PDB file of all heavy atoms in Angstrom:
ATOM      1  N   LYS A  27       0.818  -1.213   0.000  1.00 94.00           N
ATOM      2  CA  LYS A  27       0.000   0.000   0.000  1.00 94.00           C
ATOM      3  C   LYS A  27       0.854   1.265   0.000  1.00 94.00           C
ATOM      4  O   LYS A  27       0.389   2.325  -0.394  1.00 94.00           O
ATOM      5  CB  LYS A  27      -0.925   0.021   1.221  1.00 94.00           C
ATOM      6  CG  LYS A  27      -2.092  -0.950   1.121  1.00 94.00           C
ATOM      7  CD  LYS A  27      -2.975  -0.869   2.342  1.00 94.00           C
ATOM      8  CE  LYS A  27      -3.690   0.455   2.449  1.00 94.00           C
ATOM      9  NZ  LYS A  27      -4.590   0.511   3.620  1.00 94.00           N
ATOM     10  N   CYS A  28       2.099   1.154   0.454  1.00 95.00           N
ATOM     11  CA  CYS A  28       2.960   2.330   0.515  1.00 95.00           C
ATOM     12  C   CYS A  28       3.444   2.676  -0.890  1.00 95.00           C
ATOM     13  O   CYS A  28       3.922   1.815  -1.628  1.00 95.00           O
ATOM     14  CB  CYS A  28       4.153   2.067   1.436  1.00 95.00           C
ATOM     15  SG  CYS A  28       5.309   3.442   1.495  1.00 95.00           S
ATOM     16  N   THR A  29       3.349   3.948  -1.261  1.00 92.00           N
ATOM     17  CA  THR A  29       3.680   4.365  -2.632  1.00 92.00           C
ATOM     18  C   THR A  29       5.054   5.030  -2.752  1.00 92.00           C
ATOM     19  O   THR A  29       5.421   5.460  -3.834  1.00 92.00           O
ATOM     20  CB  THR A  29       2.616   5.340  -3.145  1.00 92.00           C
ATOM     21  OG1 THR A  29       2.515   6.448  -2.243  1.00 92.00           O
ATOM     22  CG2 THR A  29       1.260   4.647  -3.249  1.00 92.00           C
ATOM     23  N   THR A  30       5.805   5.110  -1.637  1.00 95.00           N
ATOM     24  CA  THR A  30       7.139   5.711  -1.749  1.00 95.00           C
ATOM     25  C   THR A  30       8.147   4.656  -2.208  1.00 95.00           C
ATOM     26  O   THR A  30       7.983   3.467  -1.936  1.00 95.00           O
ATOM     27  CB  THR A  30       7.606   6.301  -0.406  1.00 95.00           C
ATOM     28  OG1 THR A  30       7.784   5.241   0.551  1.00 95.00           O
ATOM     29  CG2 THR A  30       6.595   7.307   0.134  1.00 95.00           C
ATOM     30  N   GLY A  31       9.180   5.105  -2.894  1.00 93.00           N
ATOM     31  CA  GLY A  31      10.185   4.167  -3.389  1.00 93.00           C
ATOM     32  C   GLY A  31      10.920   3.439  -2.291  1.00 93.00           C
ATOM     33  O   GLY A  31      11.297   2.270  -2.439  1.00 93.00           O
ATOM     34  N   SER A  32      11.102   4.104  -1.143  1.00 95.00           N
ATOM     35  CA  SER A  32      11.861   3.516  -0.039  1.00 95.00           C
ATOM     36  C   SER A  32      11.011   2.636   0.869  1.00 95.00           C
ATOM     37  O   SER A  32      11.545   1.843   1.653  1.00 95.00           O
ATOM     38  CB  SER A  32      12.491   4.626   0.807  1.00 95.00           C
ATOM     39  OG  SER A  32      11.466   5.410   1.419  1.00 95.00           O
ATOM     40  N   GLY A  33       9.685   2.785   0.761  1.00 95.00           N
ATOM     41  CA  GLY A  33       8.806   2.084   1.704  1.00 95.00           C
ATOM     42  C   GLY A  33       8.684   2.809   3.034  1.00 95.00           C
ATOM     43  O   GLY A  33       7.935   2.392   3.915  1.00 95.00           O
ATOM     44  N   GLU A  34       9.433   3.921   3.169  1.00 96.00           N
ATOM     45  CA  GLU A  34       9.417   4.719   4.390  1.00 96.00           C
ATOM     46  C   GLU A  34       8.547   5.955   4.181  1.00 96.00           C
ATOM     47  O   GLU A  34       8.248   6.354   3.052  1.00 96.00           O
ATOM     48  CB  GLU A  34      10.847   5.178   4.747  1.00 96.00           C
ATOM     49  CG  GLU A  34      11.864   4.057   4.868  1.00 96.00           C
ATOM     50  CD  GLU A  34      11.669   3.223   6.123  1.00 96.00           C
ATOM     51  OE1 GLU A  34      11.382   3.809   7.179  1.00 96.00           O
ATOM     52  OE2 GLU A  34      11.799   1.991   6.040  1.00 96.00           O
ATOM     53  N   ILE A  35       8.152   6.590   5.300  1.00 97.00           N
ATOM     54  CA  ILE A  35       7.482   7.896   5.214  1.00 97.00           C
ATOM     55  C   ILE A  35       8.505   8.911   4.727  1.00 97.00           C
ATOM     56  O   ILE A  35       9.558   9.093   5.335  1.00 97.00           O
ATOM     57  CB  ILE A  35       6.929   8.321   6.583  1.00 97.00           C
ATOM     58  CG1 ILE A  35       5.907   7.299   7.100  1.00 97.00           C
ATOM     59  CG2 ILE A  35       6.309   9.709   6.498  1.00 97.00           C
ATOM     60  CD1 ILE A  35       5.537   7.483   8.553  1.00 97.00           C
ATOM     61  N   GLU A  36       8.195   9.581   3.627  1.00 96.00           N
ATOM     62  CA  GLU A  36       9.115  10.574   3.071  1.00 96.00           C
ATOM     63  C   GLU A  36       8.570  11.996   3.193  1.00 96.00           C
ATOM     64  O   GLU A  36       9.337  12.955   3.094  1.00 96.00           O
ATOM     65  CB  GLU A  36       9.411  10.242   1.604  1.00 96.00           C
ATOM     66  CG  GLU A  36      10.141   8.912   1.436  1.00 96.00           C
ATOM     67  CD  GLU A  36      10.361   8.515  -0.022  1.00 96.00           C
ATOM     68  OE1 GLU A  36       9.937   9.278  -0.911  1.00 96.00           O
ATOM     69  OE2 GLU A  36      10.945   7.437  -0.260  1.00 96.00           O
ATOM     70  N   SER A  37       7.251  12.128   3.411  1.00 96.00           N
ATOM     71  CA  SER A  37       6.665  13.450   3.548  1.00 96.00           C
ATOM     72  C   SER A  37       5.508  13.406   4.535  1.00 96.00           C
ATOM     73  O   SER A  37       4.550  12.641   4.336  1.00 96.00           O
ATOM     74  CB  SER A  37       6.150  13.981   2.209  1.00 96.00           C
ATOM     75  OG  SER A  37       5.399  15.168   2.402  1.00 96.00           O
ATOM     76  N   TYR A  38       5.581  14.238   5.578  1.00 95.00           N
ATOM     77  CA  TYR A  38       4.491  14.317   6.545  1.00 95.00           C
ATOM     78  C   TYR A  38       3.363  15.224   6.058  1.00 95.00           C
ATOM     79  O   TYR A  38       2.379  15.428   6.772  1.00 95.00           O
ATOM     80  CB  TYR A  38       5.029  14.759   7.908  1.00 95.00           C
ATOM     81  CG  TYR A  38       5.588  13.594   8.687  1.00 95.00           C
ATOM     82  CD1 TYR A  38       6.875  13.112   8.438  1.00 95.00           C
ATOM     83  CD2 TYR A  38       4.822  12.943   9.640  1.00 95.00           C
ATOM     84  CE1 TYR A  38       7.379  12.027   9.132  1.00 95.00           C
ATOM     85  CE2 TYR A  38       5.311  11.854  10.338  1.00 95.00           C
ATOM     86  CZ  TYR A  38       6.589  11.396  10.090  1.00 95.00           C
ATOM     87  OH  TYR A  38       7.095  10.303  10.773  1.00 95.00           O
ATOM     88  N   CYS A  39       3.501  15.734   4.844  1.00 95.00           N
ATOM     89  CA  CYS A  39       2.411  16.489   4.227  1.00 95.00           C
ATOM     90  C   CYS A  39       1.457  15.584   3.454  1.00 95.00           C
ATOM     91  O   CYS A  39       0.470  16.039   2.892  1.00 95.00           O
ATOM     92  CB  CYS A  39       2.983  17.568   3.296  1.00 95.00           C
ATOM     93  SG  CYS A  39       3.911  18.844   4.178  1.00 95.00           S
ATOM     94  N   ASP A  40       1.762  14.306   3.403  1.00 96.00           N
ATOM     95  CA  ASP A  40       0.955  13.324   2.683  1.00 96.00           C
ATOM     96  C   ASP A  40       0.399  12.321   3.698  1.00 96.00           C
ATOM     97  O   ASP A  40       1.121  11.450   4.191  1.00 96.00           O
ATOM     98  CB  ASP A  40       1.814  12.610   1.638  1.00 96.00           C
ATOM     99  CG  ASP A  40       1.033  11.606   0.810  1.00 96.00           C
ATOM    100  OD1 ASP A  40      -0.074  11.190   1.230  1.00 96.00           O
ATOM    101  OD2 ASP A  40       1.536  11.192  -0.256  1.00 96.00           O
ATOM    102  N   ALA A  41      -0.886  12.453   4.022  1.00 97.00           N
ATOM    103  CA  ALA A  41      -1.492  11.616   5.054  1.00 97.00           C
ATOM    104  C   ALA A  41      -1.425  10.134   4.702  1.00 97.00           C
ATOM    105  O   ALA A  41      -1.271   9.284   5.589  1.00 97.00           O
ATOM    106  CB  ALA A  41      -2.942  12.035   5.281  1.00 97.00           C
ATOM    107  N   ARG A  42      -1.528   9.802   3.421  1.00 97.00           N
ATOM    108  CA  ARG A  42      -1.490   8.387   3.037  1.00 97.00           C
ATOM    109  C   ARG A  42      -0.120   7.782   3.327  1.00 97.00           C
ATOM    110  O   ARG A  42      -0.027   6.636   3.766  1.00 97.00           O
ATOM    111  CB  ARG A  42      -1.859   8.239   1.555  1.00 97.00           C
ATOM    112  CG  ARG A  42      -3.260   8.736   1.213  1.00 97.00           C
ATOM    113  CD  ARG A  42      -3.657   8.372  -0.205  1.00 97.00           C
ATOM    114  NE  ARG A  42      -3.898   6.930  -0.335  1.00 97.00           N
ATOM    115  CZ  ARG A  42      -5.038   6.334  -0.018  1.00 97.00           C
ATOM    116  NH1 ARG A  42      -6.040   7.044   0.460  1.00 97.00           N
ATOM    117  NH2 ARG A  42      -5.182   5.049  -0.180  1.00 97.00           N
ATOM    118  N   GLN A  43       0.939   8.542   3.048  1.00 96.00           N
ATOM    119  CA  GLN A  43       2.283   8.053   3.386  1.00 96.00           C
ATOM    120  C   GLN A  43       2.418   7.834   4.892  1.00 96.00           C
ATOM    121  O   GLN A  43       2.934   6.805   5.338  1.00 96.00           O
ATOM    122  CB  GLN A  43       3.344   9.075   2.960  1.00 96.00           C
ATOM    123  CG  GLN A  43       3.736   9.058   1.512  1.00 96.00           C
ATOM    124  CD  GLN A  43       4.955   9.935   1.278  1.00 96.00           C
ATOM    125  OE1 GLN A  43       5.879   9.953   2.083  1.00 96.00           O
ATOM    126  NE2 GLN A  43       4.946  10.652   0.166  1.00 96.00           N
ATOM    127  N   VAL A  44       1.963   8.812   5.663  1.00 97.00           N
ATOM    128  CA  VAL A  44       2.145   8.758   7.115  1.00 97.00           C
ATOM    129  C   VAL A  44       1.451   7.533   7.704  1.00 97.00           C
ATOM    130  O   VAL A  44       1.936   6.922   8.655  1.00 97.00           O
ATOM    131  CB  VAL A  44       1.622  10.053   7.768  1.00 97.00           C
ATOM    132  CG1 VAL A  44       1.710   9.981   9.289  1.00 97.00           C
ATOM    133  CG2 VAL A  44       2.419  11.255   7.259  1.00 97.00           C
ATOM    134  N   ARG A  45       0.336   7.126   7.084  1.00 97.00           N
ATOM    135  CA  ARG A  45      -0.462   6.033   7.643  1.00 97.00           C
ATOM    136  C   ARG A  45      -0.248   4.694   6.959  1.00 97.00           C
ATOM    137  O   ARG A  45      -0.638   3.655   7.522  1.00 97.00           O
ATOM    138  CB  ARG A  45      -1.943   6.420   7.594  1.00 97.00           C
ATOM    139  CG  ARG A  45      -2.280   7.530   8.592  1.00 97.00           C
ATOM    140  CD  ARG A  45      -3.658   8.072   8.376  1.00 97.00           C
ATOM    141  NE  ARG A  45      -4.056   8.989   9.447  1.00 97.00           N
ATOM    142  CZ  ARG A  45      -4.938   9.967   9.310  1.00 97.00           C
ATOM    143  NH1 ARG A  45      -5.518  10.165   8.129  1.00 97.00           N
ATOM    144  NH2 ARG A  45      -5.251  10.746  10.317  1.00 97.00           N
ATOM    145  N   ASN A  46       0.371   4.681   5.780  1.00 97.00           N
ATOM    146  CA  ASN A  46       0.543   3.413   5.060  1.00 97.00           C
ATOM    147  C   ASN A  46       2.000   2.979   4.931  1.00 97.00           C
ATOM    148  O   ASN A  46       2.267   1.817   4.586  1.00 97.00           O
ATOM    149  CB  ASN A  46      -0.046   3.505   3.648  1.00 97.00           C
ATOM    150  CG  ASN A  46      -1.564   3.617   3.655  1.00 97.00           C
ATOM    151  OD1 ASN A  46      -2.209   3.228   4.620  1.00 97.00           O
ATOM    152  ND2 ASN A  46      -2.126   4.166   2.590  1.00 97.00           N
ATOM    153  N   CYS A  47       2.935   3.899   5.166  1.00 97.00           N
ATOM    154  CA  CYS A  47       4.354   3.583   4.996  1.00 97.00           C
ATOM    155  C   CYS A  47       5.021   3.371   6.348  1.00 97.00           C
ATOM    156  O   CYS A  47       4.420   3.599   7.393  1.00 97.00           O
ATOM    157  CB  CYS A  47       5.059   4.697   4.206  1.00 97.00           C
ATOM    158  SG  CYS A  47       4.389   4.922   2.541  1.00 97.00           S
ATOM    159  N   ARG A  48       6.263   2.937   6.306  1.00 97.00           N
ATOM    160  CA  ARG A  48       6.963   2.572   7.531  1.00 97.00           C
ATOM    161  C   ARG A  48       7.499   3.799   8.257  1.00 97.00           C
ATOM    162  O   ARG A  48       8.140   4.658   7.661  1.00 97.00           O
ATOM    163  CB  ARG A  48       8.110   1.609   7.219  1.00 97.00           C
ATOM    164  CG  ARG A  48       7.654   0.267   6.676  1.00 97.00           C
ATOM    165  CD  ARG A  48       8.763  -0.762   6.724  1.00 97.00           C
ATOM    166  NE  ARG A  48       9.918  -0.392   5.918  1.00 97.00           N
ATOM    167  CZ  ARG A  48      10.178  -0.868   4.693  1.00 97.00           C
ATOM    168  NH1 ARG A  48       9.352  -1.723   4.136  1.00 97.00           N
ATOM    169  NH2 ARG A  48      11.265  -0.490   4.048  1.00 97.00           N
ATOM    170  N   LEU A  49       7.260   3.850   9.539  1.00 96.00           N
ATOM    171  CA  LEU A  49       7.835   4.851  10.429  1.00 96.00           C
ATOM    172  C   LEU A  49       9.203   4.339  10.872  1.00 96.00           C
ATOM    173  O   LEU A  49       9.294   3.282  11.515  1.00 96.00           O
ATOM    174  CB  LEU A  49       6.910   5.050  11.638  1.00 96.00           C
ATOM    175  CG  LEU A  49       7.459   5.813  12.834  1.00 96.00           C
ATOM    176  CD1 LEU A  49       7.709   7.280  12.479  1.00 96.00           C
ATOM    177  CD2 LEU A  49       6.487   5.707  14.012  1.00 96.00           C
ATOM    178  N   VAL A  50      10.245   5.055  10.506  1.00 94.00           N
ATOM    179  CA  VAL A  50      11.644   4.659  10.794  1.00 94.00           C
ATOM    180  C   VAL A  50      11.861   3.143  10.662  1.00 94.00           C
ATOM    181  O   VAL A  50      12.367   2.498  11.566  1.00 94.00           O
ATOM    182  CB  VAL A  50      12.123   5.194  12.160  1.00 94.00           C
ATOM    183  CG1 VAL A  50      12.241   6.705  12.148  1.00 94.00           C
ATOM    184  CG2 VAL A  50      11.211   4.760  13.319  1.00 94.00           C
TER     185      VAL A  50
END
């Protein structure tokens, strides 16, 4: 579900990243 290349949260301005990608 995470759409960033790294699989990590890359932008806290994107709610989907913050909730679907890995925190640290």
Side-chain angles (χ1 to χ4, degrees):
K27 286 181 67 178
C28 177
T29 56
T30 66
S32 64
E34 305 288 319
I35 300 168
E36 296 176 0
S37 171
Y38 277 81
C39 294
D40 182 342
R42 299 189 71 83
Q43 279 190 40
V44 176
R45 290 170 172 154
N46 292 338
C47 299
R48 295 195 299 260
L49 167 67
V50 292

